[in-house]
Amino acid sequence: MIRVGLVGIGAQTKENILPSLLQIPDIQIVAACDMSLERAEEVKSYVRDVQVFKDVATMIDCMGPDALVLACPPQAHRDISLLAIERGIHVFVEKPPCFTLHELKDMIDAAARKRVVTAVGLNFRFARPIQHLRKIASSEKFGQPVHVQINHYAGKPRAPMWGLTSTLRSFLLAQTIHSIDLTTAFGKDHVTDVRSNVQHGSDAMLARIDISFSSGRSASILTGSMFPYFEFDMKVVSDKSNMITLDNLWNITLHDAEIASQVVGGDKRWRNAWQPGPLDSGYVRSGYFGELTGFFNAIRSGTRFEADFESMIPTFQVIEQVCATEIQPGIVAPPALRVMGEQQRSVARG
Amino acid sequence: MIRVGLVGIGAQTKENILPSLLQIPDIQIVAACDMSLERAEEVKSYVRDVQVFKDVATMIDCMGPDALVLACPPQAHRDISLLAIERGIHVFVEKPPCFTLHELKDMIDAAARKRVVTAVGLNFRFARPIQHLRKIASSEKFGQPVHVQINHYAGKPRAPMWGLTSTLRSFLLAQTIHSIDLTTAFGKDHVTDVRSNVQHGSDAMLARIDISFSSGRSASILTGSMFPYFEFDMKVVSDKSNMITLDNLWNITLHDAEIASQVVGGDKRWRNAWQPGPLDSGYVRSGYFGELTGFFNAIRSGTRFEADFESMIPTFQVIEQVCATEIQPGIVAPPALRVMGEQQRSVARG
Amino acid sequence: MIRVGLVGIGAQTKENILPSLLQIPDIQIVAACDMSLERAEEVKSYVRDVQVFKDVATMIDCMGPDALVLACPPQAHRDISLLAIERGIHVFVEKPPCFTLHELKDMIDAAARKRVVTAVGLNFRFARPIQHLRKIASSEKFGQPVHVQINHYAGKPRAPMWGLTSTLRSFLLAQTIHSIDLTTAFGKDHVTDVRSNVQHGSDAMLARIDISFSSGRSASILTGSMFPYFEFDMKVVSDKSNMITLDNLWNITLHDAEIASQVVGGDKRWRNAWQPGPLDSGYVRSGYFGELTGFFNAIRSGTRFEADFESMIPTFQVIEQVCATEIQPGIVAPPALRVMGEQQRSVARG
Amino acid sequence: MIRVGLVGIGAQTKENILPSLLQIPDIQIVAACDMSLERAEEVKSYVRDVQVFKDVATMIDCMGPDALVLACPPQAHRDISLLAIERGIHVFVEKPPCFTLHELKDMIDAAARKRVVTAVGLNFRFARPIQHLRKIASSEKFGQPVHVQINHYAGKPRAPMWGLTSTLRSFLLAQTIHSIDLTTAFGKDHVTDVRSNVQHGSDAMLARIDISFSSGRSASILTGSMFPYFEFDMKVVSDKSNMITLDNLWNITLHDAEIASQVVGGDKRWRNAWQPGPLDSGYVRSGYFGELTGFFNAIRSGTRFEADFESMIPTFQVIEQVCATEIQPGIVAPPALRVMGEQQRSVARG
């Protein structure tokens, strides 16, 4: 039985984290902590014998949890992680884990010294259709991924969050972090080059990010707050002329040059398509269950978790590069200015 | 705090009922009962302080629960319901609640005498996309539903279940019960006529069911075990020449004669389309959360639950009519035999 | 070079028949006939040296065509066919070829006596995606078709056409004739039973038609003028638990129990999907080219054409049965009336 | 009556150009020219009284056509255009019109001197669904286009064509020319910046092209021969947070922030969707009819044609920039080389 302290009882905890935790066997939520005790009390409707706290340090002292699960602003993720790690407590934080690559490295160092398991809530990576897609993309038959394209549409944030001054960094940390992370999930290679282009409207923005990896493969992301609502699609192209696409985490289509002959004797344009069962539901589908289960399994087995702090280095490298090219928001920048704002940077490693 | 006893700790309980219950505030699972104590013990991984039992009567005596939630074979639903009702305990049973219309009426009578709240687990009716569809279909703008078409594809059962001798009745109770129930959800009218046609393959079957309602509207269902896997689509046509379709509980499309002019000045063939957000998950989407929440709300407010035993009368009327036309399974029946097997029956009421 | 006379220069001729004829090699349009000479003259913009006529008999006498292609009202199809057949001229008529089964049989008899090739413009049967679907449905691997479901949505006609008094017969002859014909195209069997149910709104109608065939397979059609615009989908279910669907003559999906293992090692819910190339166009796709080409090939080879007058007997049998159950239009019929209006009739053969 | 000479009687002429011409009123194909007289003779199956030639100059001398329609290799387009223009004959050439921007400018100059109408066969621009999309994207309600994304998947060419040494230039001229042209069709602005990245497999390639325009809007194209078959999708994002997508020249979806409230009182995620009618066919849909009709209309009215030689300057500017960054094909280039191979170039204008 892993004893868990829950920190930050807001919408994300109530809608996704807590419901997922309740379905994971052999863990026990022993404490809930929020600056508002009233919010913390809400956990009692779901968990018996839970203790509530306003202060994390007190909670740790009183309850001695094995692990913390946090859904807070990034500064709290960073500070509370460091506090917990120092005391040898395993930590799962919602994304984003912190603001900068520099902060992330400090957190990684701390965790390495104390040998605790860390995790970042990158549920997309664990979402069922993406697990399917990754499995296929890693098969011999599919071939080597050459390019990943992700379209990540959002309608917000359109203003800085968490005390930041940059809407762009806020947007990347709140939204695009998922997509950047996914582009890194199709190879063991490292980021060698990042190019980006950000267009600003009156308040919304549109960003394109191109990433090159050491293996020669590439990725491009179209994202921004200039869309009516959140949607998401991605595709992976292989060197064997196969392409697999995922539309809104629902439909997968495998465009495969060899399918045709298997179906009706050689007609072109046949492809394989998959979609979940009509009743597909629960928190496996959205990845919340998988990420938390993976975290607890890593604690039990004493191994690293796939989506730990360290795994986020490439993602933060990309975020830093994109932010380094930021220009002032306003109406759409005149071309001359924008071209100057674009930069190509090599990612120093090691 | 409503104190709940859980009965039948099989796949349905573990995958859908228990996860949903864990997310409903202010209820407490106090006991779990299964003929296998080992299975009952599994609940302890999720719920602290739960007591386990092999026998329902003992469980009721020991724990005095306010409500039972059952996911068992239909004979257990029937018998345990009657037992619980007799003691004034509210009961939620997974579908099917029993085998026959006659049994259902006995259960309704018992519940009426004891004034307990009853519920049948018809999660489709509460699934989010169907709630959307029902809301639109009930709007003034949409018009009066004239016809409901449901295609309910399944690959099983292909043999009798639960000790029944009829594969057809087993199939209808296990699968089509959802679709029949949905056809009754688009009007306050009653069933006036049922026609059906069942085609038998070597082990699989295909059934078409046409239902007429007192308001003049109609419904048709294509169903059977002769499909590769479970899928589901439905459409509703209105007297204002609107049609709304739902595909696999995911995509809704509203075909509306008046949309065109709103978009780009009169082009035909524009329609409205809706789909859930990419991360849509949890048990609201599949209806399990909604049906259980509705049951507990009815207990708290002392009102009838929308999907109670009594609400299932039309559905069982249809099931009885379809079974009355059954012929022996085997290879596809020769036409002469099949025509004799088809019957048109008036549904006696009152 | 087959010398062709064109009769009836309206929208269907100008939009589909003439454009298709212009692409068929080694035929020559020698004459165009319409009650309006002005309309007939329009053909001259596309065809050099064509002669125009107001009267078919005169056109035949003057030009001695090998074949006539007609797109007129059904009474003209019937009368001109008989006239042409009598003179040994091959005839292609747009659907519907006539009003009744009785008339059709007279036309068949006349053609048999004179040994001319006849054809009815059932372009759906020849449309590329339906050719694909039929090819798959006839394969060993797919299995024996057990059921065909067609949804044929239309917004008109909502009033009688061509001097008929019945809107129902007008609708069936103008629209549903395609769908009924398609249901007959999946077996060599004959119609043994027809059931139908027609619901009337203020001016629109909704019809369901169930057809049984001598082989044991069945078909059901949902059709009517109660829809916002023309759409069409169909599916075929086989005794090997395969299903193939066609959506709006564009997307084909083959739901096949054995696909899964071919893709990624056993995951369920994989299916095969096909759609035309983005630039798919021309008159092959819609079937107009195929039906006319087939007609001329039959003339050249002296064989029967697949979609000749005789091939339409089952379709007209169904139309007659459906019309025999017609009740007076008006507001939705009260149930009692409607039940009386429904009939089950055996189709007498031989 | 415009008298037309047809040059190059290969697959494109027989499948698309000739069928479209046959449907355009008041033009007359007077001559067909091909190096193979046998191929030229094939036109006689469709057009009466047509003269056939092996040599264009002779054809022009003998027949004195008003206009030529060419579907040849680009060197023939270039040379025959110049020949015809010199004699005051209007010319329509299939894409690509020539190999380089330099050649294109010579052709533009010649046409300007002789005041003939020129046209390039960019059928995508005239395809019906793209006409719909362009109409919507140019509406006040939609807002100002900010970004155009095009995915243009192809499986060939994988080797140089037409005597070129560059597979990349061959691919861009054969395939991507359509997509580049489309990106220029959403504004009156000019190209200010082009960036590209080409990845080479053993024989196939993948190219990403980013284009900036003087108005501040941008475009990105993912293309290449590394796909199983030809497919095409595009989207346009506006500064009013609207997005319109087109999938395989079939489905249009308009994601509009304001739709929701119009449908069922404020639910999110409703969008407008359009697709052609099931029987949509002919050559209007694919754009071949529209481009040729536009050419002849321009001749009649003495005006410029929208898709004339001059309109292709931006497209060839982009092609030149992309080719300027080409590196030698081979296995995927090591990152260092590839980075060097990438260049950013300003497009000199004026």
Side-chain angles (χ1 to χ4, degrees), chain B residues 131-238:
Chain B
Q131 296 276 21
H132 273 330
L133 186 144
R134 288 175 67 184
K135 183 176 161 199
I136 293 168
S138 68
S139 70
E140 174 87 26
K141 184 184 158 199
F142 181 73
Q144 206 64 31
V146 169
H147 185 65
V148 176
Q149 183 190 65
I150 296 182
N151 291 318
H152 182 139
Y153 314 115
K156 57 178 182 179
R158 295 189 175 190
M161 299 173 71
W162 308 309
L164 287 172
T165 54
S166 162
T167 303
L168 176 60
R169 187 177 287 265
S170 302
F171 182 83
L172 296 173
L173 290 171
Q175 293 277 357
T176 320
I177 193 170
H178 284 301
S179 296
I180 300 170
D181 176 66
L182 282 177
T183 68
T184 71
F186 290 89
K188 298 282 180 194
D189 43 12
H190 59 270
V191 174
T192 51
D193 190 48
V194 177
R195 289 162 175 227
S196 60
N197 187 303
V198 181
Q199 289 166 271
H200 291 278
S202 56
D203 61 348
M205 73 171 68
L206 192 76
R208 285 169 292 137
I209 304 169
D210 273 13
I211 309 170
S212 300
F213 293 89
S214 55
S215 64
R217 73 185 182 92
S218 60
S220 58
I221 299 171
L222 173 67
T223 188
S225 53
M226 209 178 267
F227 299 90
Y229 36 69
F230 172 51
E231 286 189 291
F232 178 90
D233 63 68
M234 68 182 292
K235 53 180 61 80
V236 183
V237 185
S238 86

Side-chain angles (χ1 to χ4, degrees), chain C residues 12 17 70 77 91-97 118-126 177-178 181 287-288 291-292 305 307-309 312:
Chain C
Q12 175 69 346
I17 301 287
L70 289 80
H77 289 164
V91 284
F92 176 105
V93 302
E94 253 307 298
K95 55 88 197 164
T118 64
V120 180
L122 294 160
N123 63 296
F124 275 61
R125 205 197 277 197
F126 297 89
I177 193 169
H178 284 300
D181 177 66
Y288 295 111
E291 62 182 10
L292 286 160
F305 174 52
D308 67 0
F309 290 174
M312 298 223 68

